[in-house]
Amino acid sequence: MLKMRLLIVSLMLNSGLALAEVSASRQIELTHLLKQDCGSCHGMTLKGGLGPALLPEQLDGKSTDYLVMTILEGHPNTAMPGWKTMLSTDDALWIANQIKQGLD
Ligand code: HEC
């Protein structure tokens, strides 16, 4: 029994990196931010504009870590700003997962 519990805990910890803890109301705010703020450069439907498209096919092969870092820190010397004053790591992780799987 104890072994089973340890296994479950370690599974939860391992998957913890990929699972963002974001409340339902925060998810609505983040979806709005993604469409409005990110969309102002990446296009309302994220098909690209001043910034590149953020669609699953473009992001395929890019790691979640890279996406989270990009969102939090931005890309120096480009128009891509860092969002860490507005977004927590969980927020950024949630957004990264959203854009990887694609908005509805
Ligand atoms: C002021 C314009 C602007 C805004 C606002 C903006 N971005 Fe960007 N973003 C860019 C540009 C330009 C690049 C390309 C940077 C480069 O050439 O490295 C970029 C790159 C990225 C990348 C890397 C894409 C890839 O294929 O490597 C991600 C992910 C990203 N942005 C996510 C976001 C998210 C999420 C938001 C909103 C929280 C956001 N961006 C808001 C301009 C913007």
Side-chain angles (χ1 to χ4, degrees):
M1 248 349 248
L2 180 64
K3 239 185 179 164
M4 191 66 182
R5 280 232 306 270
L6 283 176
L7 181 69
I8 290 170
V9 169
S10 82
L11 279 176
M12 279 164 61
L13 286 177
N14 280 330
S15 61
L17 248 183
L19 279 179
E21 297 268 336
V22 175
S23 70
S25 61
R26 185 63 177 155
Q27 290 185 17
I28 292 170
E29 289 172 11
L30 292 178
T31 302
H32 184 81
L33 176 107
L34 188 53
K35 290 185 178 159
Q36 301 299 322
D37 298 64
C38 314
S40 69
C41 283
H42 292 279
M44 281 279 281
T45 51
L46 304 181
K47 287 191 180 127
L50 171 64
L54 299 179
L55 299 173
E57 48 273 33
Q58 271 80 34
L59 300 176
D60 196 30
K62 298 192 175 164
S63 72
T64 305
D65 279 358
Y66 162 78
L67 297 176
V68 169
M69 281 305 286
T70 297
I71 294 166
L72 291 177
E73 304 291 340
H75 282 188
N77 308 316
T78 74
M80 176 60 190
W83 295 83
K84 65 180 171 199
T85 57
M86 292 178 64
L87 300 174
S88 69
T89 306
D90 268 347
D91 289 342
L93 185 53
W94 187 81
I95 290 176
N97 285 335
Q98 288 300 107
I99 57 180
K100 276 201 137 198
Q101 80 187 33
L103 299 180
D104 300 325

